[in-house]
Amino acid sequence: MHIDIVTCLPRLIESPFSDSILKRAQAKGLVEVNIIDLRDYATDKHKSVDDYAYGGGAGMVMMIEPIDRCLEDLKSKRHYDDIIYMSPDGERFSQSLANQLSLKKNLVLLCGHYKGVDERVRQHLITGEISIGDYVLSGGELAAAVVADAVVRLIPGVLSDETSALSDSFQDDLIAPPVYTRPAEYKGWRVPDVLMSGHEKKIDEWRHEKSLERTRSRRPDLLGEV
Ligand code: SAH
């Protein structure tokens, strides 16, 4: 899989990809993440990517030309399954959307800043829009990092134990069961005996029961119970 993240502030998004699981996924060659500086496609010597809004009002707007030049350049090198603009009014991101995206080969995530991008970018240059929730961030970089992280960890081979992604919350419309590690007792707080019994079937049953219990109390909507 290949993900291009287009941003006018590359430093804002570098660190999530230089550590831990996302770093290892790239090192293993399972995913290639490119961070592309929109300013490289600016047309003036100041490397401007934004300008005042037509009609007035506070806040700058990202210009169409550098974005178009950048996307044209990217598209000349590979075919993209999706060119996604990160936007608070886009399709709400979810585990199921992450699952769908993890099957794609080439993706662009376009990060807005300031007041967002010129509307013509949204009308003519992209294929989809994703929001990570009903709140406004100052830029699309953190949102793009969220999406890329959720997607990349689903690519087979990225997590050392592949079943681990499948047993996460939301994968089967259930919340994950509680997990414990050593010590077995801390300040009198004990790990449930069944987890130390070595009895696989009983452990599976316990986990399923806890998942259901937790889903019922925290997210009954996932079970269609609201
Ligand atoms: N004026 C816009 C918000 C601009 S925020 C509005 O009211 O809708 C600046 C940029 O941050 C956006 O272009 C988008 O790329 C990103 N962004 C902000 N909130 C986001 C969210 N919830 N999900 C995804 N991207 C978001």
Side-chain angles (χ1 to χ4, degrees):
M1 180 178 226
H2 181 98
I3 305 178
D4 283 318
I5 302 179
V6 177
T7 166
C8 56
L9 291 161
R11 273 188 316 186
L12 268 186
I13 195 163
E14 277 157 12
S15 75
F17 299 100
S18 5
D19 250 306
S20 186
I21 291 173
L22 293 183
K23 181 184 180 184
R24 280 202 303 277
Q26 294 171 87
K28 285 193 208 161
L30 298 169
V31 64
E32 227 174 69
V33 180
N34 270 348
I35 297 170
I36 290 148
D37 189 348
L38 198 54
R39 288 182 202 281
D40 292 342
Y41 296 89
T43 55
D44 64 348
K45 66 172 194 279
H46 304 293
K47 300 208 173 289
S48 318
V49 291
D50 59 324
D51 206 337
Y52 295 100
Y54 273 122
M60 304 295 278
V61 175
M62 287 176 66
M63 297 187 288
I64 188 168
E65 193 173 359
I67 296 173
D68 191 28
R69 282 162 49 106
C70 173
L71 294 177
E72 282 303 324
D73 184 29
L74 296 178
K75 285 192 285 185
S76 71
K77 295 174 202 152
R78 50 172 60 81
H79 168 77
Y80 287 93
D81 299 295
D82 265 317
I83 299 180
I84 296 165
Y85 172 53
M86 305 311 303
S87 181
D89 58 359
E91 179 179 357
R92 177 72 69 84
F93 193 54
S94 61
Q95 192 62 43
S96 98
L97 190 47
N99 290 345
Q100 289 169 39
L101 291 176
S102 73
L103 302 173
K104 311 266 175 170
K105 251 178 88 83
N106 298 310
L107 292 177
V108 174
L109 301 179
L110 170 64
C111 306
H113 239 274
Y114 319 110
K115 276 294 196 202
V117 297
D118 187 305
E119 185 65 18
R120 291 166 293 183
V121 169
R122 305 175 68 172
Q123 286 169 336
H124 304 293
L125 304 186
I126 59 164
T127 62
E129 304 191 344
I130 293 180
S131 163
I132 62 161
D134 285 351
Y135 39 80
V136 176
L137 304 163
S138 12
E141 290 75 14
L142 295 177
V146 166
V147 169
D149 182 314
V151 169
V152 169
R153 67 196 293 286
L154 295 172
I155 300 173
V158 167
L159 298 184
S160 41
D161 177 0
E162 275 181 42
T163 57
S164 157
L166 297 177
S167 63
D168 282 332
S169 293
F170 309 115
Q171 272 309 355
D172 45 8
D173 282 341
L174 287 178
I175 301 287
V179 292
Y180 299 85
T181 185
R182 288 184 292 182
E185 182 167 340
Y186 182 73
K187 292 187 173 173
W189 303 320
R190 283 186 54 75
V191 171
D193 287 332
V194 57
L195 294 178
M196 296 178 292
S197 66
H199 196 306
E200 231 170 274
K201 190 164 167 272
K202 277 202 176 129
I203 294 174
D204 283 348
E205 281 166 8
W206 181 89
R207 287 189 169 145
H208 185 65
E209 198 182 296
K210 290 289 163 190
S211 266
L212 273 173
E213 227 170 68
R214 203 160 255 208
T215 310
R216 233 170 243 135
S217 71
R218 296 182 180 214
R219 293 295 303 275
D221 56 302
L222 296 177
L223 298 169
E225 287 180 3
V226 255

